[in-house]
Amino acid sequence: WHSYHPLAMSWYTGQDGEQIWIERDAMVYTMVAVEEKLKLEQLMYLAVTSKKAVYQEAIVEDDLGGGKSKKSKDKTAGKQRGFIIRNERLEETPLTRVVPVFKAVARKLVECDVVSRVDADESVNLGKSKKKKKGEKAEEANDMEMPSLGANEVRIETTCRISHFAHGPGYRVQVAEGQSMQRLHMFTGRREISTKDWSNLLLSALESTSNH
């Protein structure tokens, strides 16, 4: 789907040229056509399994007598001994860090064995002007330019092929919504998928999640 006008939040033009009315609280997904020849980027980062600790509060009252009156409890309010208990750590799933607007699509690709692994960068707010960091590649900075989006529009773009020494080949996908953008490394199970097939598989996953 391609947006008709960035200020017209509810009118969009489909691939067949027909104008379609979309409710303002619904999301519209614009998938940029994948170029036939994408550049290949070699990735060398080491992925570290992220684990999230879960904590639980516990309060102990020194009441050996077996009971207290309401008056006594009011006097000791706020003086109870508190403890913080650390439970077993929960390991993040590969899709934990994917932005909500794209998580269902990513999950569909994983469930269908199209994608074997998803490494997600932190979502970046591109609304604020940022100076390019020293040593940052020009093409990398250009990849993160903010597109002009409608108020209820999500833009999906495959920007390059990737290859990781441990995870194999795949594609880099950028997901933009509002003022934020996230870059995803989506690996295809150590098998090469043509850009045409990748585009069709990505579109099918998007359509299967009942998105416009």
Side-chain angles (χ1 to χ4, degrees), residues 41 43 45 115 117-121 159-162 164 167 170-174 182-188 198:
E41 183 173 334
L43 303 178
Y45 64 83
V115 170
R117 179 186 178 92
V118 179
D119 288 343
D121 291 350
T159 58
C160 71
R161 284 179 172 274
I162 55 174
H164 191 277
H167 310 312
Y171 288 91
R172 174 182 292 160
V173 177
Q174 288 183 177
Q182 184 179 54
R183 189 159 53 188
L184 306 170
H185 295 143
M186 310 190 77
F187 298 98
T188 53
W198 169 254

Side-chain angles (χ1 to χ4, degrees), residues 124-130 143-147 179-181:
V124 178
N125 186 342
L126 299 181
K128 301 177 182 178
S129 58
K130 293 185 177 181
D143 277 352
M144 298 298 284
E145 288 181 355
M146 194 68 210
Q179 294 296 317
S180 60
M181 179 182 290

Side-chain angles (χ1 to χ4, degrees), residues 27 57 63 66 96 105 122 140 152 161 200 205 211:
M27 299 302 298
E57 292 183 355
D63 183 15
T96 301
V105 180
E122 292 293 336
E140 185 175 335
N152 55 345
R161 284 179 172 274
N200 291 334
N211 291 312

Side-chain angles (χ1 to χ4, degrees), residues 18 28 33 41-42 72 74 78 88 90-91 97 107-108:
E18 180 184 358
V28 175
E41 183 173 334
Q42 298 288 341
S72 299
D74 290 341
E88 291 187 9
L90 300 178
E91 186 173 339
R97 298 175 61 191
R107 182 181 294 111
K108 185 67 176 180

Side-chain angles (χ1 to χ4, degrees), residues 74-178:
D74 290 341
K75 287 182 179 181
T76 58
K79 299 180 181 180
Q80 298 93 338
R81 290 185 296 150
F83 300 90
I84 297 178
I85 303 172
R86 180 169 177 164
N87 295 335
E88 291 187 9
R89 294 180 296 176
L90 300 178
E91 186 173 339
E92 291 186 346
T93 67
L95 302 178
T96 301
R97 298 175 61 191
V98 177
V99 287
V101 293
F102 192 71
K103 188 166 292 187
V105 180
R107 182 181 294 111
K108 185 67 176 180
L109 290 170
V110 171
E111 290 174 351
C112 294
D113 294 326
V114 174
V115 170
S116 58
R117 179 186 178 92
V118 179
D119 288 343
D121 291 350
E122 292 293 336
S123 182
V124 178
N125 186 342
L126 299 181
K128 301 177 182 178
S129 58
K130 293 185 177 181
K131 294 182 180 180
K132 192 175 70 171
K133 294 181 181 179
K134 186 177 180 181
E136 184 181 10
K137 296 180 181 179
E139 57 267 24
E140 185 175 335
N142 292 336
D143 277 352
M144 298 298 284
E145 288 181 355
M146 194 68 210
S148 177
L149 301 175
N152 55 345
E153 181 181 4
V154 177
R155 174 170 168 160
I156 302 168
E157 182 176 7
T158 301
T159 58
C160 71
R161 284 179 172 274
I162 55 174
S163 181
H164 191 277
F165 70 95
H167 310 312
Y171 288 91
R172 174 182 292 160
V173 177
Q174 288 183 177
V175 181
E177 178 199 14

